[in-house]
Amino acid sequence: MCHNRELDAGLKNLMDIALFRAIIDEARQWANDVYLHHRGEPLLHPQFFDMIRYARRAGLRTRFHTNGCLLDTEKTERLLDAGPDLVSFSVDGFEKSIYEAIRVGACFDETVENIIRLVSRRRDRRLRKPYVVVERIRFRHSNVPEDPAAVAALRQRFLEAGVDEVIEKEEYVWAVETAPETAAPRRLSACTFPWYAMVICADGTVTPCPQDFYAKLVMGRWGETSLREIWNGPAYRDLRRRYQTDIESLPLCRKCDRLCRKTVARSVPLQYAITFLTDHLLGYGRLRAWIGTAERKGVELTGEAERPGLTRGFPTASRTSETRRKPSSRQ
């Protein structure tokens, strides 16, 4: 589960629009896309749609993840006007009782209708964007299993309405200091994030990975130095070296369950390899919907036995941000 409830009130802030624009002005020189979410609900930001437009004008692809609870009729139209490339929704349960027990205060029926309204209005307006994904989490310690028939029915309802993908993901363990030691065998001793992505928190603090929820691995702070200098700076270089030679000295990283997931080429997490290649080579369109994602196809992500994922459908027509680099040989 997300640790947002345990986050100190002082860290629950919004990125200033001037800071965002300055970051985008630099990142546009070398970044590929920007994820407009982390540690909070992006639709809470009053200037969120302006942020999407600014990043798009800078030539960056934009995407964000939301719980969908705030996506009312007005916000739906504003979102479609802003034109993000991809929107993904976290639907914590595919049954009303389970969903509302997990996401306390939310209304299952309203969230489902919000998602369906978005794809319906996208179709009505004859728009190609955004690519819409619904994610269902398989929780590790759920005492009440969901009814397979109810899950299948809601999946089919989403797909028939025009949602591009419905995927199923294993719940993962956040890389926090209180996380338990993983019992699964470690399959790799490196991670892709420090070589192709960075997370920029609302105050400009830069961390290497969205798994570092409390921003303990600080690589620098934008404003004190540039993003390029941070990327090539001593903190990042030391982190990359320690990943290769002494991962046990990184208390957050050595507990991360990403290191226990299935790999390709003996070193790259399969989930991220597929996502990286899909994002860079396919973009967000009909071909992506046909090929799909690792989660949807039931690829083993946690070292456990594989389970079938949910099937795909064809398209009918922030608090913080994360930037992803364009493919480059420079590290």
Side-chain angles (χ1 to χ4, degrees):
M1 291 290 289
C2 177
H3 288 258
N4 185 268
R5 294 179 182 178
E6 290 78 44
L7 196 64
D8 290 341
L11 296 177
K12 294 182 178 181
N13 46 15
L14 301 174
M15 180 175 282
D16 182 79
I17 188 67
L19 172 61
F20 177 82
R21 288 171 177 163
I23 289 171
I24 294 298
D25 289 345
E26 180 182 353
R28 66 186 300 175
Q29 303 174 44
W30 44 267
N32 181 71
D33 54 11
V34 56
Y35 288 31
L36 299 171
H37 64 268
H38 181 54
R39 293 204 314 199
E41 171 53 51
L43 293 177
L44 285 170
H45 200 298
Q47 296 171 296
F48 180 65
F49 302 113
D50 294 329
M51 291 175 162
I52 295 174
R53 288 191 186 90
Y54 195 85
R56 288 192 63 225
R57 286 197 297 266
L60 295 171
R61 292 186 296 183
T62 59
R63 59 192 289 176
F64 69 94
H65 190 68
T66 173
N67 58 41
C69 297
L70 300 177
L71 192 62
D72 57 21
T73 301
E74 178 189 1
K75 285 188 173 64
T76 295
E77 298 303 324
R78 295 180 65 193
L79 187 157
L80 293 172
D81 290 341
D85 292 279
L86 183 148
V87 179
S88 57
F89 292 91
S90 179
V91 181
D92 302 308
F94 271 37
E95 288 186 80
K96 181 179 178 66
S97 59
I98 294 177
Y99 173 88
E100 294 181 357
I102 295 172
R103 191 164 291 279
V104 178
C107 176
F108 174 78
D109 295 322
E110 288 182 5
T111 298
V112 171
E113 288 302 322
N114 289 348
I115 297 170
I116 291 177
R117 183 195 304 115
L118 173 64
V119 293
S120 176
R121 289 297 296 145
R122 181 187 64 177
R123 180 178 60 250
D124 292 344
R125 294 177 56 172
R126 299 180 181 276
L127 299 173
R128 298 180 63 87
K129 296 179 181 180
Y131 189 89
V132 177
V133 179
V134 169
E135 294 185 1
R136 172 178 176 259
I137 304 299
R138 292 195 296 259
F139 290 97
R140 297 170 184 264
H141 305 295
S142 176
N143 296 322
V144 183
E146 290 185 290
D147 177 12
V151 172
L154 183 56
R155 175 195 67 200
Q156 192 63 26
R157 184 182 175 189
F158 280 136
L159 295 175
E160 290 178 352
V163 168
D164 298 298
E165 287 191 77
V166 180
I167 66 175
E168 188 170 325
K169 301 174 71 172
E170 294 282 356
E171 180 186 11
Y172 54 80
V173 178
W174 287 90
V176 296
E177 293 175 336
T178 57
E181 297 287 346
T182 178
R186 185 180 296 166
R187 295 177 178 237
L188 70 160
S189 60
C191 174
T192 54
F193 276 111
W195 279 271
Y196 87 106
M198 64 167 53
V199 175
I200 307 171
C201 297
D203 62 354
T205 298
V206 174
T207 69
C209 172
Q211 283 287 89
D212 181 13
F213 192 83
Y214 295 103
K216 297 295 185 180
L217 290 172
V218 176
M219 300 290 102
R221 186 186 298 274
W222 191 93
E224 297 176 359
T225 185
S226 70
L227 294 180
R228 186 176 293 277
E229 289 171 326
I230 293 172
W231 181 257
N232 294 307
Y236 254 114
R237 293 201 306 271
D238 180 62
L239 178 66
R240 295 170 186 137
R241 178 190 60 77
R242 291 164 73 184
Y243 261 123
Q244 295 175 314
T245 62
D246 189 19
I247 195 170
E248 296 300 326
S249 68
L250 298 168
L252 298 184
C253 301
R254 69 180 179 84
K255 292 183 178 182
C256 183
D257 70 348
R258 307 284 172 137
L259 302 183
C260 302
R261 300 188 177 196
K262 191 172 183 179
T263 64
V264 63
R266 298 184 179 180
S267 60
V268 181
L270 179 60
Q271 177 190 7
Y272 295 147
I274 294 174
T275 300
F276 182 84
L277 293 173
T278 301
D279 287 352
H280 287 278
L281 299 180
L282 302 183
Y284 310 111
R286 190 174 297 271
L287 185 59
R288 181 191 184 104
W290 182 73
I291 292 178
T293 64
E295 293 94 342
R296 192 184 67 203
K297 291 184 178 298
V299 172
E300 179 187 2
L301 300 180
T302 63
E304 301 173 353
E306 296 184 9
R307 306 185 206 174
L310 298 181
T311 57
R312 56 103 177 106
F314 292 94
T316 56
S318 171
R319 290 190 175 200
T320 61
S321 61
E322 178 183 341
T323 59
R324 307 257 178 168
R325 289 176 58 84
K326 296 176 182 177
S328 170
S329 60
R330 183 174 185 179
Q331 297 181 355

